[in-house]
């Protein structure tokens, strides 16, 4: 696949922590030049204004406002910023629940914060959420409810098959990264997901290549080839299917 500057790559990374690379502005420039759609998620609301400024004028890179569940307690003081800035963007993430902690107070606080975010997004109606659900997929789905008025992407889903099936029946998307396409457990889960529900993500710079280098949005091309192999179809066809899903996500 050629990634030529000035031409849309027909690739989309729906979950990348652009602000956490050593030179975020340089990354934005490279990604924009090659036309890779990238949702630049943030982990705290205070990072969002800087990110938005960095992507100003970009066609392909979009800034998302987020509050990572693992920071929901510590950064409770930034919630007022979340409420103020939320109406200013369509993209929301990283948000969700993380039950790696077994601290009941922390879990409860996470649920409170996520519920409020979901409620406000539901009211505005056109938001696109990229959602973390580690060990908490059941509660994430419960909070999102059956009639959420927005688009939901479950990022790096690792829950049960049962909850996955329920998410698919609600029209949620599943975003896939290279760590998932190389894990047997994830691959098994992904076989349950209809192609029309699949999107690419990288979760860079947290996900690394086999040689230890942090991936960036260009790695969506590897996700596509791995999925193409899994689906037993030509890479171009897999890329076009996933790209069409992304267009649908943005479109309506
Ligand atoms: Mn992430």
């Amino acid at each position: 696949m050629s990634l030529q500057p000035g031409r849309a790559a027909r690739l989309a990374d729906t979950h990348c922590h652009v602000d956490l690379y050593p030179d975020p502005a340089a990354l934005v420039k490279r990604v924009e030049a090659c036309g890779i759609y990238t949702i630049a998620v943030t982990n705290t609301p205070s990072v969002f204004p800087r990110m938005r400024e960095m992507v100003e004028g970009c066609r392909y890179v979009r800034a998302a406002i987020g509050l990572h569940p693992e920071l929901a307690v510590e950064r409770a003081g930034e919630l007022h910023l979340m409420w103020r800035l939320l109406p200013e963007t369509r993209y929301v993430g990283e948000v969700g629940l993380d039950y790696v902690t077994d601290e009941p107070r922390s879990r409860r606080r996470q649920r409170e914060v996520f519920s409020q975010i979901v409620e406000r997004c539901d009211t505005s109606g056109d938001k696109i959420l990229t959602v973390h659900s580690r060990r908490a997929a059941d509660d994430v789905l419960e909070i999102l409810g059956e009639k959420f008025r927005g688009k939901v992407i479950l990022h790096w889903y690792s829950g049960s098959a049962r909850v996955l099936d329920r998410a698919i029946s609600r029209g949620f998307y599943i975003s896939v990264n290279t760590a998932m396409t190389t894990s047997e457990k994830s691959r098994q889960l992904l076989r349950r997901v209809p192609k029309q529900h699949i999107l690419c993500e990288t979760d860079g710079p947290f996900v690394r290549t086999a040689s230890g280098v942090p991936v960036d949005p260009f790695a969506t091309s590897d996700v596509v080839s791995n999925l193409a192999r899994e689906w037993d179809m030509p890479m171009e066809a897999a890329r076009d299917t996933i790209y069409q899903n992304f267009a649908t996500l943005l479109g309506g």
Side-chain angles (χ1 to χ4, degrees):
M1 176 181 306
S2 58
L3 289 174
Q4 295 162 337
R7 175 187 287 198
R10 298 180 68 78
L11 292 168
D13 181 350
T14 60
H15 189 113
C16 182
H17 296 266
V18 171
D19 64 299
L20 299 179
Y21 289 81
D23 190 347
L27 179 61
V28 167
K29 235 175 146 178
R30 281 202 303 133
V31 165
E32 177 72 13
C34 290
I36 303 176
Y37 279 100
T38 301
I39 299 180
V41 294
T42 54
N43 285 341
T44 61
S46 57
V47 177
F48 172 75
R50 204 174 354 125
M51 201 59 237
R52 184 179 48 187
E53 202 179 294
M54 195 179 295
V55 305
E56 209 188 304
C58 285
R59 172 163 177 209
Y60 297 101
V61 192
R62 319 281 167 96
I65 185 163
L67 178 52
H68 195 286
E70 290 179 296
L71 294 168
V73 176
E74 187 189 321
R75 301 297 183 94
E78 291 190 28
L79 264 179
H80 71 282
L81 268 178
M82 176 62 106
W83 308 145
R84 198 176 75 205
L85 297 168
L86 197 58
E88 298 178 14
T89 178
R90 194 181 173 202
Y91 303 92
V92 181
E94 176 162 0
V95 294
L97 301 176
D98 188 306
Y99 284 177
V100 165
T101 172
D102 48 18
E103 202 16 78
R105 253 195 19 215
S106 164
R107 288 184 173 190
R108 192 169 56 242
R109 182 64 189 150
Q110 287 185 31
R111 283 195 297 272
E112 282 166 13
V113 168
F114 184 52
S115 301
Q116 289 176 54
I117 292 171
V118 167
E119 200 183 310
R120 293 194 189 221
C121 291
D122 185 60
T123 304
S124 58
D126 65 337
K127 303 291 195 203
I128 295 172
L129 277 62
T130 167
V131 181
H132 178 109
S133 60
R134 185 164 49 175
R135 298 190 194 170
D138 250 306
D139 281 5
V140 161
L141 258 73
E142 194 188 313
I143 288 171
L144 286 162
E146 309 248 336
K147 292 177 184 142
F148 178 69
R149 298 189 317 123
K151 305 286 181 69
V152 175
I153 307 167
L154 294 181
H155 134 75
W156 202 335
Y157 181 83
S158 59
S160 69
R162 179 182 52 85
V163 176
L164 178 59
D165 291 350
R166 207 188 313 150
I168 292 163
S169 75
R170 289 189 195 172
F172 295 175
Y173 291 86
I174 307 297
S175 60
V176 181
N177 61 47
T178 47
M180 293 168 77
T181 53
T182 51
S183 139
E184 190 41 50
K185 191 181 169 244
S186 293
R187 287 170 61 201
Q188 260 179 38
L189 277 174
L190 290 175
R191 285 182 201 124
R192 309 181 76 84
V193 185
K195 294 182 184 67
Q196 286 66 32
H197 290 254
I198 295 282
L199 294 168
C200 290
E201 63 161 70
T202 59
D203 206 18
F206 295 110
V207 170
R208 291 166 180 267
T209 64
S211 50
V213 182
V215 297
D216 60 28
F218 289 80
T220 49
S221 159
D222 299 325
V223 178
V224 168
S225 9
N226 294 345
L227 285 170
R229 203 172 313 123
E230 194 72 50
W231 293 342
D232 194 22
M233 63 198 279
M235 168 137 180
E236 273 68 30
R239 182 196 57 197
D240 288 348
T241 299
I242 299 167
Y243 191 67
Q244 184 53 53
N245 297 343
F246 182 71
T248 305
L249 171 87
L250 296 191

